[in-house]
Amino acid sequence: MEKIAEVENLVLRFYTYEGIVKALEKVSFAMKEGETLGIVGETGSGKTATALTFLGIILPPGKVEDGSIRIKSGDRYIDVIKADKETLRKIRGKLVSMIFQEPSQALNPVYTVEEQVGEALLAHIYKDIYSNALKEINEQLSQLEENRNVMKRIRLIFDKMVYERLNRNADDKLAQFLSHIPILKRYRRWMRKVIRRYVIELLKQMDIPDPERVASSYPHELSGGMRQRVVIAIALACRPVLLIADEPTTALDVTVEAQILDLIRKLKKDYGTTIAFITHDLGVIAEMADRVVVMYAGNVVEIADVKEIFRNPLHPYTKALLKAIPKLGTKELYPIEGTIPNLVNPPNGCRFHPRCPYVFEKCIAEVPQLREVKEGHYVACHLY
Ligand code: SF4
C-alpha cells in the first residue's frame, strides 16, 4: 500500500510561563492508503498535539520546531509544516479533516446544523454549488411564459448573471459587493437551496433520522450521539483523503459509542478514507485499527500491526497498558505505577524509565531510538 502521510522527526514545543513544554520529541510514523491507524497512549502522551499539527492549527505559545508532515495530494506530497496560510486553508477539510473529541464544544451554538455543515461544503465544493444553482435558475427561466412575469424574469436574469460570474471566478468582486447590499443579495438564496440539499443528503448518510428537521436545528436541540454524527458529517463533507478521529466516542455512553464506531467503519468502507483513530481505549483500538502507534510522553515507543501489538507487545509501556485492562472474572487491577512526567522537565534518556520495571543504566543515559525489530514491528527500547 502507498503512503498517504508521513510524519518525520516532529518536534513541538509550548513556550509557557512555567517553562518550555517538550510536547513532541522526534515523532515519526507513516500512514498507508486506506488503513485505520490507531494512536494510543495516556492523557498527555501527545496524541492530540500530533493530530492538531496535521491540520496546522497549533497556536502560540505552541511552535513546531522541527520535522515534517507530508500528506499526499494527487501525485505529489504537501508538507503541512511548511505550507502557507492559503495552502493550509485548501488542505483543511479537503485533504485532511478532523472529528473533535467533544461534539458540544466542536459545534457553534448560535448556528444551525445546516449553516455549519454548509460552511464546510461552501469552502471546498463551491464550484459544484454555483453550477447547480445556475442549473436551477436556467430551469426556472425556461419554465416562465413569454411576455409574462416580467419582474420575475428580470430577477432571474440578474441571478443568472451573478452565478455565471461566480462560476468563472469564485472571488468575483461584483458578487462580493452585491452580497453586502440587502435587496440585491437575494441571489444567495439559490446557493442556500442547493447547500440545504447537499446537507440533507449528507445527514442521511450519517444515519440521522428526520434529516430535514435536524438540518434546521441548533446543536442544543440534539442529543450527544446526534451532535457527534453532525460533527462527523462536517468532517466528511468534502470527502477528505485523511480523517483524524480524536477520541470521537469519549463523551458518549457505550450504546451510542457502538453506533458511532459502526458508522465510522461504514463510512470508511463507502468513502475509502484513511483514518487516524486517536484513543486511550485499547478495546476500541482492537475493534477499529489495522496498525497501532503507541505514544508515551511525546515519543512514539512502538508501532506494529494490531494483532502483533495485542499478541506480542514488546515495549514495557505497551505491556503495562495491556495489563491494565480490567478482565472479567478477576478482581485484581494492574494500574501503571507512577504518573506521566512533567514535560517541562522530562526524565533523561528513556522518558518511561521512572516507571519501567526493567530500567537499567543505559535507559537513564541514552534516549532509545525507534527501530525495526521484526518486519513492520518497531520499538524504542534498549532491551531490543
Ligand atoms: Fe524500560 Fe529502558 Fe526500555 Fe525505557 S529503554 S522502556 S526504561 S527498558
Side-chain angles (χ1 to χ4, degrees), residues 315-316 350 352-353 356 358-359 363 368 381-383:
H315 198 280
C350 170
F352 188 58
H353 86 250
C356 182
Y358 309 99
V359 59
C363 307
C381 173
H382 292 309
L383 291 173

Side-chain angles (χ1 to χ4, degrees), residues 28 111 200 209 246 297 353 377:
S28 299
Y111 290 106
I200 288 171
D246 185 11
H353 86 250
H377 196 156

Side-chain angles (χ1 to χ4, degrees), residues 2-12 23-32 35 37-39 46-56 58 64-72 77-82 96 242 244 274-276 278 291 293 295 298-300 303 370 378:
E2 217 179 325
K3 281 182 195 165
I4 200 106
E6 195 169 22
V7 181
E8 242 183 290
N9 294 325
L10 195 63
V11 178
L12 173 67
L24 296 177
E25 197 65 48
K26 293 191 182 278
V27 165
S28 299
F29 61 88
M31 294 186 68
K32 297 177 196 164
E35 75 170 350
L37 182 75
I39 304 179
K47 310 182 298 290
T48 301
T50 309
L52 297 177
T53 320
F54 261 89
L55 286 164
I58 292 288
V64 176
E65 302 255 287
D66 200 6
S68 63
I69 298 182
R70 297 164 70 240
I71 303 177
K72 192 166 178 243
Y77 284 85
I78 296 176
D79 187 347
V80 177
I81 306 300
K82 292 199 182 87
V96 48
L242 173 61
I244 300 170
T274 306
I275 299 178
I278 296 173
R291 283 192 314 131
V293 170
M295 292 190 72
N299 288 141
V300 170
I303 304 175
L370 194 69
Y378 299 79

